[in-house]
Amino acid sequence: MDKRTGLKKLGKILKDVGGPEHYLFNLEDIAPVFPELTKPALKMLLGRAVSDGLLQRVCRNIYIDPDRIVTRGTILYRIAAKLRAGSLNYVSLESVLSDAGVISQVPFQWLTLMSSGRSSLIDCGQWGTIEFVHTDKEHARLANVLVYDETIRFWRAPVALAIREMKACHRPLDLIDWRIADEFV
């Protein structure tokens, strides 16, 4: 398959399956469409798609269709879900405390998640940064504590748990407004 044919086929696929809910892709999403391509050849095709403006690279192995983005507010959550699809992940730490008004200073476009996967910091360029903090907590222990947030389609720790996790992870507590935090604890 030559370069133009591959890009044309990828463009058609993105147009057919892309939409407000389908704008993030990884190698595994695109590979079935190109069974004849090896993994290196597929990566080369995606690199060309980025060069041609068909896709934008978000981070390692994650691409976004810039023509399909409807709301930018949930992109980091969607990227995190795509990056750690096989892990338990939930919003906690500074992200929960900031959303609840318990802390006022959180870096812009920064998402903190507890994860059963390894800890890592993922730079997503213009979209922001995702910080995964490893937890050994068992799923069953969290089942009755976490709340599912329909808006972001992610599990979320309540404020009291986020504060306990801040302490357990030795995160700075000096930004916490304890008068507000005490309402949640």
Side-chain angles (χ1 to χ4, degrees):
M1 172 182 312
D2 69 17
K3 177 171 98 170
R4 284 285 128 214
T5 305
L7 286 175
K8 190 174 180 179
K9 182 177 178 181
L10 180 58
K12 181 173 177 1
I13 294 299
L14 292 174
K15 183 179 178 193
D16 290 347
V17 301
E21 298 297 317
H22 303 286
Y23 54 82
L24 278 176
F25 304 93
N26 61 20
L27 205 61
E28 292 75 29
D29 295 329
I30 295 174
V33 178
F34 296 96
E36 70 280 5
L37 295 182
T38 63
K39 192 171 184 176
L42 187 58
K43 286 182 178 181
M44 189 177 295
L45 174 66
L46 291 173
R48 288 183 185 132
V50 170
S51 295
D52 282 10
L54 190 59
L55 292 172
Q56 290 178 354
R57 185 178 182 276
V58 174
C59 59
R60 186 174 155 252
N61 196 31
I62 303 289
Y63 300 87
I64 196 164
D65 182 346
D67 296 332
R68 302 289 179 199
I69 301 168
V70 174
T71 110
R72 297 176 67 92
T74 59
I75 289 177
L76 273 182
Y77 298 100
R78 302 268 174 97
I79 295 168
K82 184 89 73 182
L83 284 168
R84 295 283 177 95
S87 301
L88 167 68
N89 304 296
Y90 60 93
V91 182
S92 188
L93 305 168
E94 292 90 351
S95 290
V96 164
L97 299 180
S98 175
D99 290 347
V102 174
I103 60 175
S104 59
Q105 297 177 352
V106 171
F108 184 63
Q109 295 180 313
W110 190 283
L111 177 60
T112 51
L113 300 166
M114 298 303 289
S115 176
S116 62
R118 65 184 175 84
S119 293
S120 63
L121 199 60
I122 309 292
D123 179 2
C124 299
Q126 67 174 315
W127 311 108
T129 302
I130 302 169
E131 182 178 7
F132 291 101
V133 178
H134 176 73
T135 181
D136 287 328
K137 290 185 179 138
E138 296 175 16
H139 301 175
R141 212 173 111 205
L142 294 166
N144 294 329
V145 178
L146 300 179
V147 177
Y148 188 72
D149 186 331
E150 287 285 337
T151 307
I152 58 173
R153 296 187 200 165
F154 234 96
W155 291 99
R156 178 182 288 279
V159 171
L161 176 59
I163 290 172
R164 285 194 306 274
E165 289 175 335
M166 289 280 289
K167 291 175 182 177
C169 293
H170 307 290
R171 308 282 274 208
L173 303 175
D174 55 327
L175 294 178
I176 295 177
D177 184 336
W178 290 103
R179 291 171 305 179
I180 297 172
D182 287 341
E183 294 175 21
F184 294 99
V185 180

